[in-house]
Amino acid sequence: MSWNDVAAFWSDYTLRTVAAGAAVIGATAGVLGVFAQLRRQSLFGDAVSHAALPGIALVFLLTGSKEPAALVAGAAVTGWLGALCVTGIVRSSRVPADSALGLVLSVFFGVGLMLLTWIQRRPDASQAGLDRFLFGQAATLLTADVATMAVLGGGAVLVLILLWKEFKLLSFDPAFAALLGLPVRRLDILLTGLLVAAVVAGLQAVGVVLMSAMLVAPAAAARQWTDRLAPMAALAALFGAAAGVGGAVASSLTARTPTGPAIVLAATAIVMASLLLAPRRGLLAGVWRRWRRRRDLRLHAVLLDLHALAGQHGDPTAAPHAAAVLRAMAAGGSVRRSLRELADRGWAADAGDDLWTITADGRGEAARFLAAHAADGRPEAAP
Amino acid sequence: MMSPQVEIQLIAAVTAAACSLVGTFLVLRRMAMMSDAISHSILLGIVVAFLAVGDLASPWLVLGAAVTGVLTVALVETLHRTRLVKEDAAIGLVFPALFSLGVILLARHAGAVHLDTDVVLLGELAFAPFDRFAPGGTDLGPRSLWMAGGVLLLDAAALALFFKELKLATFDAGLAATLGFAPALIHYGLMSLVSVTAVASFDAVGLVLVVALMVGPPAAAHLLTDRLPRLLGLAVLMGAASAVGGYWLARWLDVSIAGAMAATVGFVFLLALLLAPQRGLVAAARRRATQRLEFALAMLAIHVAQHECGPDAGDECRADRVHLHLHWEPDFSEAVLRAAEQRRLLRREDGLVRLDEAGRDLARGALTR
């Protein structure tokens, strides 16, 4: 494929529609996902999206309509019902949250499958077009679909922004929120409703089975880059939109690649990159930090040996010491390399003939280090 | 020679029993969503193994898929151990990714793999009797039945052998570790069983039903009993019953068998949730109502006992004004009075409430308790 093809694709109406839709979905799910993550409800979306299936099938069964707005409304109703079932079961019985989630998602989905096969059997209507709700078919998105998503997703995000302070408090410290007199139960239900809206908005493009990943992945990626909620939500929106566009475009450019899985893989790639590369929490940053700490420890060990040797002489900086002596004192590692690095920092000086002296700076650093770690690991002095 | 109908029900029941058996431990260990994760990601294993071996009936397929299941668990734990994501988020990241890879591979090699996404989700239980197990030309029944039966035996044998270890690791992981029972080994052993069970079942009933059967019956059984052996037995029984019930529901409505079974599992759970003798919602509501009445009777007795000889007895003990003093609804007050009369705690005379001996005892007992 040449760049011309790519350019042609970007001017392509269908592709633009698809990309816009996927971006809206990703951004909405990203923002709501941050709250789900905070409330440890990352898998909640899984139950909600599966529970949406019977709603879609029911609307079609009752009205015969494939109008996206109607189907999405049906999905929202049963999705929300599923969410209520999960919280209801957890609150009213000893069944733990994870079992309630698994139960609701599989049972609602099973009912959805029953309805779909029921529809399939009817001679007057084909279920073509409902299938796409399973794995998503972004290629069939129309402007009207994207408009539905934008209204739904945009509305959810707008409510979230309007009640930002309340939801933030609810998510971090529900007990304190209740103490302040906030209507915690109602806010909780509303936030769940927003989550449902975000999920059902994406069903058409990403599909029932994988939509939950869109709630989890962008939020998990954004978490790595910042500790602050608002930037995290913004970043999650960005990541979600990027995954949506990336996946949708990749899926349209390659034959026989369903959109939902492509978007999920794009989101997964963003998560992996974030886990590796994030500046403070990232895995590479951790490796770098550990490496530097180890090197500092190695250098200081030799420096302190040198300092101790120097302390036994009248003029500490004058008398040079053989590297061999230092090697005998060291616990391990390359002493000569450490000495050279110490010299680079101006803490030691090469006196030739494998002899080294400590500099005034080096004595200062050794003293500082000893003072800083004076309390560490020293056994309590005997009286 | 069984009829296909009976064979389907048998396959479903045996599969359900195997799923409920391992699922019980998932539910108890609060890892129910692992069944969701494993059953989704084994798709990748099946597709990859198929592309490598080129035979859907190959045992390598089962092995490959089971390995992906265990891999999922390992990935989730590795991710969780970095402390960069919480455990539920780790699950939510790993299995959609693996499943997506599987779906894309499946879609791109659609011509080569005789599996499509519908089969993955729905299973093909209705066609299971057509796939016969016939070594050397003698028909020994449907292959799925042998597969499900084998897995059920494997699960039962493994659980029986390591019952004590599993029980301890499930209820007190710390103690198990202290006693040297290697909880990690037990964990991965259980997860391998779950994976193998999921692979064998998914072939017949589809991945959604695997989740329903692994989570639903054990969760329902846990509402009915506290003893592990009874819990396992009940879960297996409820699973098998849901499977057979679901089959008949599907036949009656002419819809997806897997879907109907999942719905039946949900129905059975709902029944248990409502009607469980001690933990059921109905029992709890009745208990609350009884407690409320008992408390109200004691309150009434105390109130009347305090006031019936006092100067204001004419007001405080008037049957139609008692509710004002006790801050009750008039209807509730009337109901309590009637219940108290029935139990011979008190009488109503000239519109005044008079305590009987039993009522006075109740008041005294409640105050001195």
Side-chain angles (χ1 to χ4, degrees):
Chain A
M1 169 184 326
S2 73
W3 281 107
N4 268 346
D5 291 333
V6 176
F9 244 107
W10 277 113
S11 56
D12 184 321
Y13 165 79
T14 315
L15 191 71
R16 269 203 325 250
T17 315
V18 169
V24 169
I25 293 161
T28 314
V31 175
L32 266 309
V34 166
F35 279 87
Q37 172 177 272
L38 206 56
R39 287 149 52 88
R40 299 185 176 238
Q41 288 185 338
S42 288
L43 292 175
F44 214 67
D46 207 16
V48 170
S49 65
H50 282 78
L53 187 64
I56 295 168
L58 263 182
V59 166
F60 180 71
L61 201 61
L62 294 180
T63 68
S65 150
K66 277 187 209 163
E67 193 62 38
L71 295 180
V72 162
V77 169
T78 51
W80 200 58
L81 207 66
L84 287 188
C85 278
V86 172
T87 39
I89 289 173
V90 171
R91 193 167 299 150
S92 68
S93 78
R94 72 189 325 201
V95 176
D98 61 322
S99 294
L101 283 174
L103 192 75
V104 165
L105 85 84
S106 56
V107 170
F108 273 70
F109 194 75
V111 173
L113 285 183
M114 278 174 69
L115 291 171
L116 277 187
T117 40
W118 173 277
I119 292 169
Q120 216 165 19
R121 236 170 10 88
R122 297 202 316 178
D124 56 321
S126 83
Q127 62 155 355
L130 294 182
D131 263 352
R132 67 189 162 152
F133 280 100
L134 290 182
F135 289 110
Q137 200 59 74
T140 60
L141 285 186
L142 302 175
T143 316
D145 301 326
V146 176
T148 311
M149 291 171 191
V151 169
L152 204 59
V157 173
L158 190 69
V159 173
L160 191 75
I161 291 172
L162 285 177
L163 291 172
W164 181 266
K165 195 166 41 108
E166 285 79 1
F167 284 141
K168 188 173 171 181
L169 192 55
L170 176 75
S171 305
F172 277 108
D173 196 342
F176 186 53
L179 205 64
L180 288 184
L182 290 181
V184 175
R185 278 290 290 277
R186 247 175 294 162
L187 282 172
D188 191 67
I189 291 175
L190 182 60
L191 191 52
T192 305
L194 297 183
L195 200 72
V196 171
V199 168
V200 297
L203 289 181
Q204 225 180 133
V206 184
V208 164
V209 184
L210 289 166
M211 188 55 210
S212 65
M214 291 312 288
L215 282 174
V216 181
R223 173 71 190 90
Q224 310 311 321
W225 299 88
T226 172
D227 288 337
R228 302 188 51 79
L229 189 61
M232 202 185 299
L235 214 56
L238 191 73
F239 286 156
V245 173
V249 170
S251 141
S252 337
L253 288 178
T254 41
R256 289 193 305 197
T257 305
T259 322
I263 292 179
V264 169
L265 286 186
T268 308
I270 293 178
V271 173
M272 291 208 287
S274 301
L275 290 177
L276 282 178
L277 302 177
R280 276 195 319 104
R281 290 167 59 96
L283 295 175
L284 287 184
V287 169
W288 168 243
R289 234 183 351 258
R290 264 194 303 283
W291 182 79
R292 279 199 30 189
R293 217 176 288 146
R294 206 167 293 152
R295 186 193 58 184
D296 276 1
L297 202 64
R298 177 168 56 82
L299 288 185
H300 277 96
V302 175
L303 180 68
L304 289 183
D305 288 346
L306 203 55
H307 181 65
L309 285 178
Q312 297 166 2
H313 294 271
D315 180 3
T317 46
H321 304 280
V325 175
L326 289 163
R327 198 166 301 125
M329 293 171 78
S334 165
V335 170
R336 185 159 303 128
R337 194 175 103 208
S338 302
L339 282 168
R340 263 199 303 275
E341 286 174 31
L342 284 172
D344 289 346
R345 295 181 177 204
W347 291 345
D350 188 352
D353 256 355
D354 226 6
L355 294 174
W356 298 78
T357 55
I358 190 165
T359 63
D361 278 357
R363 288 176 60 79
E365 170 62 19
R368 189 200 62 73
F369 187 86
L370 283 174
H373 295 276
D376 297 352
R378 188 181 297 165
E380 273 180 47
Chain B
M1 191 66 239
M2 290 178 284
S3 75
Q5 261 194 46
V6 177
E7 282 177 355
I8 291 178
Q9 290 177 64
L10 212 57
I11 295 168
V14 172
T15 304
C19 286
S20 306
L21 214 51
V22 289
T24 301
F25 286 96
L26 286 180
V27 167
L28 287 177
R29 294 163 74 98
R30 317 221 150 179
M31 296 189 302
M33 287 307 274
M34 273 298 183
S35 66
D36 191 33
I38 288 176
S39 66
H40 277 80
S41 49
I42 53 177
L43 173 70
L44 178 61
I46 290 178
V47 176
V48 169
F50 176 80
L51 291 177
V53 185
D55 173 16
L56 263 181
S58 161
W60 289 107
L61 220 64
V62 178
L63 198 69
V67 167
T68 343
V70 178
L71 182 77
T72 310
V73 179
L75 276 177
V76 167
E77 282 184 359
T78 311
L79 204 53
H80 179 49
R81 213 171 304 133
T82 62
R83 302 216 210 129
L84 295 179
V85 294
K86 287 166 191 149
E87 191 174 15
D88 59 338
I91 294 177
L93 284 171
V94 170
F95 87 80
L98 296 180
F99 185 68
S100 297
L101 268 180
V103 171
I104 287 181
L105 276 180
L106 197 58
R108 297 185 69 83
H109 297 92
V113 189
H114 302 290
L115 248 185
D116 61 18
T117 42
D118 277 2
V119 175
V120 172
L121 292 172
L122 310 170
E124 46 183 11
L125 199 50
F127 304 119
F130 296 119
D131 187 7
R132 313 300 295 188
F133 180 61
T138 34
D139 183 8
L140 294 178
R143 215 171 51 82
S144 306
L145 187 55
W146 282 93
M147 184 105 132
V151 167
L152 177 62
L153 274 183
L154 176 72
D155 288 345
L159 293 187
L161 252 156
F162 297 104
F163 187 70
K164 181 176 48 147
E165 287 80 359
L166 256 171
K167 189 171 162 181
L168 189 59
T170 298
F171 290 108
D172 194 340
L175 182 60
T178 319
L179 293 177
F181 278 128
L185 202 66
I186 294 173
H187 176 62
Y188 274 97
L190 179 64
M191 288 305 159
S192 308
L193 279 187
V194 171
S195 301
V196 171
T197 311
V199 179
S201 321
F202 143 102
D203 197 30
V205 295
L207 61 85
V208 192
L209 190 57
V210 171
V211 179
L213 288 176
M214 282 193 180
V215 179
H222 199 199
L223 294 170
L224 300 176
T225 177
D226 281 332
R227 304 201 44 82
L228 185 56
R230 208 172 298 162
L231 174 57
L232 284 165
L234 267 176
V236 166
L237 216 66
M238 287 166 126
S242 309
V244 174
Y247 170 78
W248 286 103
L249 180 66
R251 249 181 78 96
W252 177 47
L253 296 173
D254 192 10
V255 292
S256 150
I257 300 180
M261 285 187 192
T264 314
V265 166
F267 180 68
V268 168
F269 176 81
L270 191 68
L271 282 186
L273 184 66
L274 290 176
L275 303 179
Q278 268 141 50
R279 297 209 171 72
L281 296 186
V282 173
R286 282 177 60 178
R287 207 160 41 229
R288 260 198 308 280
T290 317
Q291 275 168 359
R292 189 162 174 241
L293 180 67
E294 295 294 340
F295 183 73
L297 286 172
M299 287 290 291
L300 180 65
I302 292 169
H303 177 80
V304 178
Q306 293 292 327
H307 293 286
E308 66 181 348
C309 303
D312 48 2
D315 177 56
E316 294 279 355
C317 298
R318 261 179 64 185
D320 56 347
R321 287 183 59 80
V322 167
H323 67 272
L324 293 175
H325 300 292
L326 289 166
H327 305 286
W328 286 347
E329 295 294 316
D331 290 349
F332 178 67
S333 173
E334 184 53 37
V336 174
L337 278 171
R338 215 170 296 144
E341 281 174 325
Q342 241 168 35
R343 297 193 192 186
R344 305 195 180 289
L345 297 175
L346 48 78
R347 276 164 289 130
R348 275 185 260 200
E349 279 172 8
D350 313 328
L352 284 186
V353 180
R354 296 214 180 281
L355 280 184
D356 280 338
E357 206 42 50
R360 221 160 270 132
D361 283 349
L362 176 65
R364 215 174 297 126
L367 280 173
T368 54
R369 197 182 300 148

